[in-house]
Amino acid sequence: MTGYDSLGGNGGGPSSTGGTVCHWLKHMKLYRVVLIVVFCLLSLPFVFYNLLVHEESNVQHSDIHRTRSQLFTFEDVSPLKAADLKLRIDEMLRMKGTVSLELRDLESRRQKLQSDIGLYNQKIDELKQELARQQTELDRLKISVEQAQVAQREAVLRNTPELALPRALFSDTLPAQMRPIDAAHSRSCKMSTCFDHSRCSLTSGFPVYLYDPDTTSVVSAGYDIDGFLKTTIKQTLGYNAHLTTDPKKACVFLVLVGEALSEHEVQKSNRYVAPQGAADGSGAPNLSSLNVTRLRLLPYWGGDGRNHVLLNFARREVGPGAGNMLQGQAMDTGRAMLVQSSFEESQFRVGFDLIAPPILGPPGGDVWQECAPMLPARRKYLLSFQGELLGQNGTMVGPRGTDDTESDTVDEFIIEHLKEMSSGRTQDYFMLQFECVPATEQRAPSGLRDWSLCGTDNSRKSVLKESTFALLLAPGGGSTSSTLLQARLYEALRAGAIPLVLGGDQVQLPYAETIDWRRVVISLPKARITELHFLLRAIPDADLLTMRRQGRLVWERYLSSVQSTVDTIVASLRSRLGIPPKPIPSVIAHSVFNSSFVPLKSDPVIDTEPEESLGPIEPPYPSPAFRRNYTATLVQSREMWNDWADPFALYPQLPFDPVLPSDAKFIGSHMGFRPIGKGAGGTGKEFGESLGGNYPREQFTIVILTYEREQVLMDSLSRLYGLPYLHKVIVVWNSPKPPLEDLRWPDIGVPVHVVRAPRNSLNNRFLPFDAIETEAVLSVDDDAHLRHDEILFGFRVWREHRDRVVGFPGRFHAWDVNSLDSWNYNSNYSCELSMVLTGAAFIHKYYTYLYTYTLPQAIRDKVDEYMNCEDIAMNFLVSHVTRKPPVKVTSRWTFRCPGCPVSLSEDDTHFQERHKCINFFTKVFGYTPLLNTQYRADSILFKTRIPHDKQKCFKFI
């Protein structure tokens, strides 16, 4: 049975056979397997050898037959050599030529196909690039749509009123007749009790009416107002934006009541006379010159004189009583405010009356020539004083006086101590003169003690220019301010000598409500006289120069001329009421084209390289203007009066506006903010989608100055196509010739305003055109070639340094080591710089107003003279205002413009002129305001290793 099953299994199929073989191999010895394998390996070579031998014999047999056939063929051809060989050769040559032509045709076809393949490959690459660019553009458009939706929601949710230049509200009636108040009420007047605020709306603009001094006189018979004052006050007020000729609209009424002179003095006062000191013998004006009856008969007096301001200016240094028409009198001026330089303590109504300096300067204009250089910090004399004390009865005290009052004793002690200090063993030099030589002829009015001025204005100026400190001794006799004290203050600040007021605790200085005199004047009680020398020696050079610079700022802005005095009085009164000033005027941008002419447009030249997504494409969005009309004068009043701005005009925006806390943009004050990643942050992708930063969204304006380089300008404009955050382009056409009519202007997606310049001047680069509607202004030369990423990075950096010049080409001022007394302009590569050229730099529009209206005219004239240095002037101005250096961005140091016409900067004369400009500007400013910086700004992730799934902020920056 078992044998039958096995046989049946073998005949049944392959499975049975495989099973048998496996069974057999399983029981076979290993050595037998090895022998079989070895046998097979030895047998195979013999088998293959036999097969190869057999095949080779067959091949040789075939070759023998082929050779024989060829021989037979040659035998057939040989008889033709004589007759047809030439024909055969010609036929073969023809066949060869035909084949060659066919081969050439095939080669040309091959080359054409290869060229077509190359063109198709190039087209494919271009389409890939176009796809990438369109994809980038699509992403930017998606972001733009999202930004537009956010802006729309913000516009719907906005609930704050638009405060930009609201409609002015004026009073439309004359002051009503009121019952006069008595003298007691008049002496206790305050703004809340004696001023009619209803005539001064917050939106009125503070209109001021001046009684014509030629037709309206309030002085007694036999007296008249100084002719110079009448003419100059009318002229300077005419330049003030607040002056009105309609008394119904007036907020305040100005009345010129002094300086009043007798008839023979009027004849000597027909022209402006510079102050010549106390020895001119002119004498004090009659203190009863004001006629109260005539004052009350003024047409708009209203019975009690409310909202009237009596201007009593002292023009000449005539003695201790000058500038106070109420000296020793109980004159009733009703509810009128009094502005003068001299007050008794019992007369001055704090917060109502106003102390103004005497009129000692020119009518207006540049006054920098009157000032001394600020350097060195320590001058020849540590302290100087020239004067003589006039007693109550007109006699001199000190060596000549005999009064035994307590004040005399204190003054004598002060004088003796100062003399001892100056004659002691010290390395410091003093110039202390307590007796006038020749003796002064001035006499003080009864009850007043004050220090007269010795010598002439020029002699005192020469001493003060060599003095580190100028001593001012407080007047006595109950006076809180005197004309002579104000004159000493004026002269000290003009010469750069730091005023030291001894007895300052009883003295009121001009415009004390707004000017921070602690930064200008050292005020000490008289009891500190024994510690005076120690204190003066303890002040370091940095503080000396800071106080000297601040003193010059105050003098130039508020004291130096009639114009500055009048403007400051008006601004002080307006500031009390919280009324913003009039908007500063912009320069109207007149188009270079006629109204009927439409410039030709052309497509821009688009870069073939796909560019990274740098930001969304937004519709034009001007910077919000005049949003802080009523708060800037409250929150930053001290800064406006004492630092970066001025109180005389209202600016659309300021680079010093306060910054919101970081969480405010998410809690309650989110309007306009575009945080990176909606606040979550991020790298390149999220960074490119939003502007981020600490300020709400904004755009910038490009200003290009050009002169007869049309094609260079067109190329520069074309490169601006698709630039994110660009609001518009202003082209300042400096050429007297208009553009060619067939000139094709590229369409770059934003408005291009071509502005006709009033004349060919580099100062036109910084004109505050009304067409500039953004805070950020990118000043660019027409041949500057900047990439989009460079421009946007500079814009982002500027948003964090809005008060500074932020740009690309860096330069510095180098000390001339040969002359040791001047500066050189240097453009070499350096690790330290102090200027950024405005041929490619961001500035705030605020500085264009300062450059045009505040910068000394002499600097702009020098720019026109050289046709150079406007960029240096702007760097001087910004550093002077902020005391900060510029900010350089990226590694770019200069610009190359192949094919451009030769520019002004390639002549060696260009550099020589820039050397001279730096030194001249230093002379005008009184010092060199430029500051050095040793770093430049690059993007945060520049040269930082980041994961592959992240993008850098900028690829190349």
Side-chain angles (χ1 to χ4, degrees):
M1 182 64 69
T2 304
Y4 177 79
D5 288 340
S6 298
L7 292 174
N10 286 332
S15 59
S16 300
T17 304
T20 303
V21 172
C22 293
H23 180 75
W24 177 75
L25 290 174
K26 187 181 300 183
H27 294 85
M28 185 179 290
K29 297 295 183 179
L30 179 61
Y31 72 93
R32 292 180 182 179
V33 176
V34 173
L35 290 175
I36 293 173
V37 172
V38 170
F39 175 77
C40 292
L41 292 175
L42 294 174
S43 301
L44 285 176
F46 292 102
V47 174
F48 286 125
Y49 175 76
N50 291 330
L51 291 175
L52 290 174
V53 170
H54 179 70
E55 183 66 24
E56 185 176 350
S57 65
N58 292 337
V59 171
Q60 290 178 353
H61 182 73
S62 176
D63 291 341
I64 292 173
H65 285 286
R66 188 181 298 110
T67 304
R68 289 178 179 177
S69 177
Q70 290 177 353
L71 291 175
F72 291 152
T73 303
F74 285 127
E75 290 176 357
D76 294 339
V77 174
S78 60
L80 299 177
K81 286 183 179 180
D84 299 331
L85 182 58
K86 187 176 183 301
L87 294 176
R88 288 289 182 96
I89 292 174
D90 292 341
E91 180 68 17
M92 294 177 69
L93 291 174
R94 186 186 63 77
M95 293 174 62
K96 177 183 177 182
T98 302
V99 172
S100 297
L101 290 175
E102 291 179 355
L103 290 175
R104 291 193 188 97
D105 184 54
L106 290 174
E107 179 64 21
S108 64
R109 291 182 181 180
R110 186 185 68 82
Q111 292 179 355
K112 185 176 183 302
L113 290 174
Q114 287 181 343
S115 176
D116 292 342
I117 291 173
L119 292 175
Y120 286 131
N121 287 334
Q122 182 179 356
K123 188 68 174 177
I124 290 172
D125 293 338
E126 291 178 355
L127 290 176
K128 288 181 179 179
Q129 292 177 0
E130 181 66 21
L131 177 62
R133 186 163 44 249
Q134 293 297 337
Q135 185 63 42
T136 302
E137 189 71 15
L138 179 61
D139 294 340
R140 293 171 66 179
L141 291 176
K142 289 180 179 178
I143 299 172
S144 302
V145 171
E146 294 177 0
Q147 299 282 14
Q149 292 173 347
V150 173
Q152 183 181 11
R153 289 195 297 268
E154 289 179 350
V156 172
L157 297 175
R158 187 181 299 276
N159 57 3
T160 57
E162 293 293 336
L163 299 180
L165 295 179
R167 184 173 63 89
L169 300 177
F170 299 104
S171 174
D172 57 356
T173 60
L174 295 174
Q177 288 294 324
M178 304 289 289
R179 186 174 61 183
I181 62 173
D182 55 27
H185 286 85
S186 178
R187 285 193 295 270
S188 61
C189 268
K190 300 178 181 179
M191 292 295 293
S192 58
T193 59
C194 294
F195 191 86
D196 183 7
H197 289 77
S198 65
R199 297 193 62 86
C200 305
S201 168
L202 287 176
T203 61
S204 64
F206 193 67
V208 173
Y209 179 84
L210 173 67
Y211 287 97
D212 188 350
D214 291 327
T215 59
T216 304
S217 177
V218 294
V219 296
S220 303
Y223 290 86
D224 196 5
I225 304 297
D226 183 359
F228 168 78
L229 278 179
K230 288 195 296 185
T231 303
T232 308
I233 296 300
K234 287 175 60 176
Q235 181 180 5
T236 53
L237 264 176
Y239 296 141
N240 193 288
H242 298 280
L243 184 67
T244 181
T245 57
D246 186 356
K248 291 183 179 180
K249 296 181 179 180
C251 171
V252 297
F253 300 85
L254 303 181
V255 186
L256 184 61
V257 299
E259 178 177 59
L261 306 178
S262 62
E263 293 179 352
H264 75 277
E265 288 176 325
V266 170
Q267 297 176 0
K268 298 189 300 181
S269 184
N270 291 329
R271 62 183 178 87
Y272 170 72
V273 181
Q276 294 297 322
D280 59 3
S282 56
N286 191 309
L287 301 176
S288 301
S289 59
L290 180 62
N291 191 314
V292 177
T293 303
R294 290 186 178 183
L295 194 65
R296 293 176 177 174
L297 293 178
L298 290 173
Y300 315 117
W301 185 257
D304 56 0
R306 62 192 179 281
N307 292 35
H308 277 62
V309 180
L310 308 182
L311 304 177
N312 181 35
F313 293 114
R315 186 169 75 88
R316 304 167 302 153
E317 301 171 27
V318 293
N324 187 356
M325 65 180 179
L326 304 181
Q327 178 69 36
Q329 301 184 38
M331 191 173 293
D332 180 15
T333 57
R335 288 192 169 100
M337 288 182 277
L338 183 58
V339 177
Q340 60 184 22
S341 57
S342 182
F343 278 96
E344 294 182 10
E345 188 174 359
S346 60
Q347 294 174 342
F348 184 64
R349 297 168 291 186
V350 179
F352 191 74
D353 294 329
L354 188 65
I355 298 177
I359 302 295
L360 300 177
D366 279 359
V367 293
W368 62 270
Q369 302 95 330
E370 298 291 327
C371 298
M374 297 188 194
L375 279 297
R378 300 185 184 275
R379 298 174 174 177
K380 177 180 178 181
Y381 301 117
L382 179 64
L383 181 67
S384 69
F385 178 81
Q386 291 177 289
E388 193 168 53
L389 181 60
L390 301 179
Q392 293 182 353
N393 56 1
T395 61
M396 290 43 168
V397 300
R400 300 181 185 180
T402 58
D403 294 339
D404 294 328
T405 63
E406 182 179 352
S407 297
D408 291 338
T409 304
V410 174
D411 291 335
E412 289 178 2
F413 175 76
I414 291 174
I415 293 173
E416 292 301 327
H417 184 81
L418 290 172
K419 287 182 177 181
E420 180 181 352
M421 182 177 65
S422 62
S423 61
R425 295 181 179 179
T426 175
Q427 60 181 353
D428 298 318
Y429 293 95
F430 297 85
M431 174 58 184
L432 301 176
Q433 179 183 347
F434 299 105
E435 297 181 24
C436 294
V437 180
T440 179
E441 298 180 4
Q442 294 179 356
R443 293 294 180 268
S446 176
L448 182 64
R449 297 164 52 86
D450 207 349
W451 292 88
S452 66
L453 297 169
C454 294
T456 64
D457 179 67
N458 289 332
S459 66
R460 294 191 300 273
K461 183 189 297 184
S462 63
V463 173
L464 289 171
K465 284 184 176 181
E466 295 184 338
S467 304
T468 306
F469 297 94
L471 180 62
L472 280 66
L473 295 172
S479 178
T480 189
S481 176
S482 71
T483 301
L484 288 172
L485 178 71
Q486 306 298 342
R488 287 186 183 276
L489 178 67
Y490 173 95
E491 292 181 353
L493 296 178
R494 179 185 61 182
I498 300 173
L500 170 64
V501 182
L502 201 58
D505 51 344
Q506 65 187 61
V507 170
Q508 289 281 348
L509 297 178
Y511 318 123
E513 298 175 34
T514 50
I515 296 179
D516 189 358
W517 287 106
R518 293 173 300 177
R519 299 171 56 183
V520 179
V521 173
I522 298 177
S523 181
L524 297 175
K526 292 182 178 181
R528 296 288 186 191
I529 184 62
T530 57
E531 302 174 288
L532 179 60
H533 193 190
F534 167 78
L535 175 63
L536 298 184
R537 293 294 299 171
I539 301 176
D541 289 358
D543 291 334
L544 290 177
L545 292 175
T546 299
M547 296 185 71
R548 187 172 295 161
R549 173 183 172 275
Q550 187 67 19
R552 175 162 174 170
L553 181 148
V554 170
W555 182 83
E556 287 183 335
R557 190 181 291 179
Y558 306 120
L559 312 176
S560 60
S561 64
V562 181
Q563 184 73 60
S564 61
T565 300
V566 170
D567 290 344
T568 306
I569 291 172
V570 174
S572 298
L573 298 175
R574 177 186 49 74
S575 181
R576 282 183 181 178
L577 301 174
I579 300 176
K582 291 291 187 71
I584 192 166
S586 297
V587 176
I588 299 177
H590 296 286
S591 175
V592 74
F593 303 111
N594 296 326
S595 57
S596 60
F597 177 75
V598 179
L600 300 176
K601 296 288 186 179
S602 66
D603 295 332
V605 179
I606 303 177
D607 215 347
T608 57
E609 293 293 330
E611 193 166 349
E612 56 184 320
S613 179
L614 299 173
I617 302 299
E618 300 178 328
Y621 177 74
S623 298
F626 298 105
R627 290 296 182 90
R628 305 182 64 229
N629 299 347
Y630 305 97
T631 54
T633 55
L634 300 176
V635 178
Q636 295 173 304
S637 176
R638 285 289 177 180
E639 291 83 355
M640 291 180 64
W641 280 85
N642 299 279
D643 287 317
W644 33 258
D646 65 73
F648 306 127
L650 181 65
Y651 295 90
Q653 309 94 3
L654 291 171
F656 316 100
D657 288 341
V659 184
L660 288 173
S662 298
D663 46 358
K665 66 184 73 170
F666 305 102
I667 306 174
S669 302
H670 63 278
M671 294 294 182
F673 285 96
R674 300 293 184 268
I676 303 299
K678 297 182 179 180
T683 55
K685 180 179 182 300
E686 297 80 8
F687 181 77
E689 294 176 354
S690 303
L691 195 54
N694 301 314
Y695 292 87
R697 69 182 180 119
E698 60 183 328
Q699 298 175 349
F700 61 92
T701 302
I702 292 181
V703 177
I704 303 177
L705 185 71
T706 186
Y707 183 87
E708 296 185 355
R709 297 202 291 188
E710 287 84 355
Q711 190 55 49
V712 174
L713 174 65
M714 296 303 108
D715 294 342
S716 296
L717 289 175
S718 296
R719 290 192 291 267
L720 300 177
Y721 175 78
L723 180 60
Y725 306 114
L726 177 59
H727 183 258
K728 68 175 64 170
V729 177
I730 307 293
V731 176
V732 182
W733 194 265
N734 241 16
S735 173
K737 302 177 183 178
L740 299 176
E741 293 187 0
D742 59 349
L743 188 63
R744 305 188 71 87
W745 296 81
D747 186 1
I748 61 175
V750 297
V752 178
H753 294 267
V754 187
V755 179
R756 182 177 68 251
R759 58 191 178 91
N760 182 20
S761 171
L762 294 180
N763 292 312
N764 296 334
R765 181 193 298 273
F766 304 125
L767 289 177
F769 291 111
D770 56 355
I772 301 176
E773 300 178 286
T774 59
E775 296 184 58
V777 178
L778 174 58
S779 174
V780 180
D781 287 339
D782 56 3
D783 58 354
H785 190 169
L786 288 171
R787 303 193 312 266
H788 285 194
D789 58 340
E790 292 177 311
I791 295 176
L792 291 182
F793 177 67
F795 175 54
R796 288 178 180 269
V797 173
W798 174 88
R799 280 168 46 82
E800 299 181 23
H801 303 278
R802 309 172 75 87
D803 59 339
R804 299 158 82 172
V805 180
V806 177
F808 301 88
R811 301 293 185 265
F812 64 99
H813 65 305
W815 188 246
D816 190 342
V817 296
N818 296 321
S819 66
L820 298 179
D821 62 352
S822 62
W823 293 103
N824 285 334
Y825 172 83
N826 202 311
S827 62
N828 296 330
Y829 294 105
S830 172
C831 295
E832 194 172 62
L833 59 90
S834 58
M835 291 177 283
V836 166
L837 303 187
T838 54
F842 282 92
I843 59 173
H844 197 284
K845 187 183 178 182
Y846 167 74
Y847 293 119
T848 64
Y849 290 108
L850 295 189
Y851 187 96
T852 303
Y853 299 124
T854 305
L855 193 69
Q857 183 63 39
I859 292 181
R860 295 193 295 271
D861 291 343
K862 185 63 68 175
V863 170
D864 288 335
E865 177 185 348
Y866 289 155
M867 285 298 290
N868 199 346
C869 304
E870 84 287 355
D871 47 2
I872 300 178
M874 178 56 78
N875 277 271
F876 263 69
L877 174 64
V878 176
S879 295
H880 172 67
V881 172
T882 63
R883 302 306 300 131
K884 297 177 183 178
V887 177
K888 174 175 169 46
V889 294
T890 77
S891 60
R892 188 184 291 271
W893 193 263
T894 186
F895 296 99
R896 300 294 181 189
C897 183
C900 294
V902 177
S903 63
L904 296 173
S905 61
E906 297 189 13
D907 188 2
D908 183 64
T909 308
H910 171 80
F911 289 92
Q912 297 300 325
E913 291 171 348
R914 292 171 86 79
H915 300 331
K916 297 177 183 178
C917 284
I918 291 180
N919 291 289
F920 178 74
F921 296 166
T922 296
K923 184 178 179 181
V924 173
F925 279 93
Y927 74 115
T928 305
L930 299 178
L931 295 174
N932 294 318
T933 181
Q934 298 179 352
Y935 78 94
R936 75 171 189 228
D938 293 303
S939 63
I940 292 179
L941 296 181
F942 182 61
K943 291 188 176 181
T944 300
R945 293 182 178 273
I946 60 175
H948 296 292
D949 59 339
K950 303 293 184 182
Q951 297 179 9
K952 291 194 173 184
C953 313
F954 294 92
K955 289 184 179 179
F956 309 107
I957 301 177

